């Protein structure tokens, strides 16, 4: 017998929850802020030649997906899960941030648009839902899968 005990096996949380998503969320949020507050490359009243609302929807969907993945994860004795309340909190924070983002864009010569914020809200909601579904699918136990078969 050795002088030390073997390390206990890693928990499900330790195996499935690397730390890099936190850094990815922080970096993405910073890049999103910089991208939306960069001075407007179009003349006043000019419109971009790309689907602006789709860009808003996608950007906030990715932000919410990462936010729920990082912040709504709850380790538990019966397995890990995604908290519905935390997920709603993440969506509320991102929706509030989307409004802040739109309100502060005129400082850099961009335009405030309610439809941009609506696209942000829709993207945040869909991204959060996708993250909840993906996380729930990802952490299902093999016993539950074999019992349902």
């Amino acid at each position: 017998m050795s002088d030390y005990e073997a390390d206990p096996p890693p928990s499900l949380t330790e195996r499935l929850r690397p730390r890099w998503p936190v850094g990815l969320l922080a970096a993405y949020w910073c890049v999103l802020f910089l991208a939306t507050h960069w001075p407007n490359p179009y003349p006043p009243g000019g419109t971009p030649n790309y689907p602006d609302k789709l860009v808003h929807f996608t950007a906030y969907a990715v932000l919410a997906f990462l936010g729920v993945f990082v912040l709504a994860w709850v380790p538990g004795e019966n397995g890990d899960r995604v908290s519905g309340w935390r997920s709603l909190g993440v969506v509320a924070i991102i929706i509030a941030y989307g409004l802040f983002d739109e309100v502060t864009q005129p400082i850099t010569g961009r335009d405030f648009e309610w439809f941009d914020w609506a696209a942000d809200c829709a993207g945040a909601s869909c991204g959060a839902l996708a993250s909840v579904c993906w996380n729930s699918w990802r952490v299902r136990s093999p016993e539950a899968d074999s019992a349902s078969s």
Side-chain angles (χ1 to χ4, degrees):
M1 181 132 219
S2 64
D3 292 339
Y4 65 92
E5 292 183 24
D7 290 335
S11 70
L12 182 62
T13 303
E14 292 168 341
R15 286 189 312 232
L16 296 178
R17 295 299 292 178
R19 293 196 172 102
W20 62 265
V22 176
L24 182 61
L25 172 62
Y28 182 78
W29 208 326
C30 289
V31 168
L32 184 62
F33 177 82
L34 291 174
T36 59
H37 287 82
W38 201 260
N40 194 354
Y42 303 101
T47 58
N49 55 357
Y50 54 85
D52 183 48
K53 305 308 179 258
L54 181 60
V55 171
H56 278 266
F57 179 91
T58 304
Y60 278 80
V62 171
L63 182 62
F65 186 94
L66 292 171
V68 168
F69 182 78
V70 170
L71 301 171
W73 182 274
V74 179
E77 293 176 6
N78 298 327
D80 299 336
R81 63 183 179 83
V82 176
S83 167
W85 288 111
R86 286 187 185 185
S87 297
L88 287 174
V90 168
V91 171
I93 289 168
I94 291 173
I95 286 174
Y97 172 73
L99 183 59
F100 167 80
D101 184 47
E102 285 299 319
V103 167
T104 58
Q105 282 183 10
I107 296 169
T108 61
R110 291 177 172 261
D111 297 324
F112 173 92
E113 289 188 36
W114 286 108
F115 288 120
D116 285 350
W117 185 56
D120 299 344
C121 294
S125 300
C126 290
L129 181 61
S131 188
V132 167
C133 292
W134 183 72
N135 277 307
S136 297
W137 170 81
R138 197 172 60 82
V139 299
R140 285 192 335 207
S141 67
E143 297 84 26
D145 289 340
S146 62
S148 65
S149 301

